[in-house]
Amino acid sequence: MFGYVVINRKELSKEELNKYKSYYCGLCNGLEEKYGKKGMSLLSYDMTFLYLLLSDLYNTNDKENEKRCAVHPIGKHKYTVNELTEYVSDMQVLLSYFSLKDNLLDGDSNRDEQKLLKLESYISVLKVKYKRQYECLSDNLQKIIALEKVGENNIVTLSSLSGDMIKEIFAPKEDVFYKKLTEIGKSLGSFIYIMDSYDDLKKDIKHGSFNPLKDISNQEDFDKVVKELLEIPLSQAANSLERLPLDDNLSILRNIIYSGVWSRFEVLNRKK
């Protein structure tokens, strides 16, 4: 599920790229501090987008520090932490937990089962602390699973549920920004589901696994249809993003929404 909400590195200035890396490493630091090495292994670009978005929107008191780590053992690197680091780290763990559950139901490896078991001990606390987010993730994943089991292949229906599943983690509180933040979360969740289905299509056909794009994959204009399906939620995400009072990280967030998210789609099309 993770890894599609990325930057277009070539279109960022050196200053913007360094800033993005600092937030990425800040989230990694937050995961390590609270969850150890297993927390670090969950780090995703998708949640780095959320970290950048919320930090800008809520005008956080960012603190830039330096450290060495296993990934950067030779020299110190900068990382940014603030009062929302813990929230985004917790959301990374919750989302990873439900993603691993989904992977196991799809018949993925025992490695995912081991990862899931390692996260179990944290979930009892997180489900109480973030009742709204937990229930949204749990309820909508069950709906997706139920529809996939009966062979529902309406990609719009399924991707909409995926959006509903993710939307609440984008809003740390129900305030004046809640509506726009959940709109962005829902739109990106829908995009991720469609992109993931497109990415996995060849593998799923080979192994006889469920994929809602199978039935239309032989259409002559298949890639065009998928692109149009992806454009709809991305347009909605961009519209909501532009209506929020953002400034400090806006250029990076725009880079991701307007350009970076298309990276995997373009790679897959170049291979054809």
Side-chain angles (χ1 to χ4, degrees):
M1 177 176 262
F2 301 126
Y4 298 117
V5 187
V6 299
I7 56 170
N8 180 343
R9 185 179 291 260
K10 293 179 182 178
E11 297 297 324
L12 288 178
S13 67
K14 184 177 180 181
E15 181 182 357
E16 289 168 335
L17 183 58
N18 287 336
K19 188 178 208 182
Y20 179 83
K21 288 179 178 178
S22 184
Y23 274 92
Y24 181 81
C25 290
L27 181 54
C28 183
N29 185 78
L31 285 163
E32 182 184 23
E33 282 198 352
K34 188 167 183 180
Y35 299 104
K37 293 287 190 292
K38 51 181 170 273
M40 290 175 64
S41 70
L42 304 174
L43 179 65
S44 73
Y45 296 118
D46 312 77
M47 288 296 99
T48 304
F49 173 87
L50 179 61
Y51 191 30
L52 284 159
L53 172 62
L54 296 180
S55 297
D56 188 340
L57 185 61
Y58 288 104
N59 295 309
T60 50
N61 181 26
D62 290 357
K63 295 178 181 177
E64 195 174 80
N65 301 314
E66 291 186 345
K67 67 181 288 188
R68 290 185 179 87
C69 68
V71 182
H72 305 92
I74 298 175
K76 290 184 178 181
H77 64 281
K78 292 181 179 180
Y79 66 97
T80 300
V81 293
N82 56 50
E83 55 269 35
L84 283 169
T85 308
E86 182 177 2
Y87 175 79
V88 182
S89 298
D90 289 344
M91 291 304 102
Q92 178 73 82
V93 171
L94 267 182
L95 190 54
S96 298
Y97 174 77
F98 283 101
S99 180
L100 288 167
K101 287 186 76 171
D102 188 36
N103 288 348
L104 284 171
L105 288 166
D106 287 341
D108 283 4
S109 70
N110 290 332
R111 186 182 302 173
D112 286 333
E113 186 173 8
Q114 293 303 314
K115 287 182 180 179
L116 187 68
L117 289 171
K118 288 178 181 179
L119 296 183
E120 289 279 4
S121 60
Y122 304 119
I123 301 305
S124 59
V125 174
L126 294 178
K127 71 188 293 185
V128 175
K129 186 177 180 180
Y130 304 107
K131 185 174 184 289
R132 168 172 54 88
Q133 291 90 336
Y134 177 89
E135 289 183 351
C136 186
L137 283 160
S138 181
D139 292 348
N140 284 291
L141 179 58
Q142 291 305 313
K143 291 176 184 177
I144 293 170
I145 291 167
L147 288 177
E148 290 182 347
K149 276 185 177 178
V150 297
E152 172 62 67
N153 63 0
N154 188 319
I155 189 76
V156 175
T157 299
L158 292 166
S159 65
S160 180
L161 283 172
S162 178
D164 286 336
M165 175 181 163
I166 290 174
K167 68 179 184 180
E168 293 294 337
I169 71 174
F170 269 68
K173 48 191 174 181
E174 296 178 84
D175 58 8
V176 66
F177 301 127
Y178 173 80
K179 187 173 185 293
K180 292 303 174 195
L181 287 172
T182 53
E183 286 173 355
I184 295 172
K186 179 176 174 63
S187 299
L188 289 179
S190 297
F191 165 81
I192 289 168
Y193 187 92
I194 298 167
M195 189 63 241
D196 194 47
S197 298
Y198 185 65
D199 199 355
D200 288 346
L201 184 60
K202 285 186 178 179
K203 179 189 73 175
D204 290 338
I205 290 174
K206 180 180 178 180
H207 296 291
S209 303
F210 172 82
N211 190 303
L213 293 175
K214 272 186 186 180
D215 288 352
I216 64 169
S217 61
N218 289 324
Q219 289 182 197
E220 196 170 315
D221 62 345
F222 172 64
D223 295 320
K224 181 182 177 183
V225 169
V226 173
K227 186 177 182 181
E228 289 172 353
L229 285 169
L230 292 168
E231 285 172 343
I232 294 169
L234 287 179
S235 174
Q236 294 165 343
N239 182 60
S240 297
L241 182 76
E242 297 294 349
R243 292 173 182 272
L244 288 171
L246 302 166
D247 44 36
D248 293 339
N249 300 331
L250 184 56
S251 61
I252 304 174
L253 295 167
R254 281 173 170 165
N255 171 278
I256 294 168
I257 289 291
Y258 293 116
S259 179
V261 291
W262 289 104
S263 300
R264 184 59 182 163
F265 182 84
E266 290 166 358
V267 167
L268 290 171
N269 273 265
R270 281 199 296 269
K271 290 180 178 179
K272 292 185 176 181

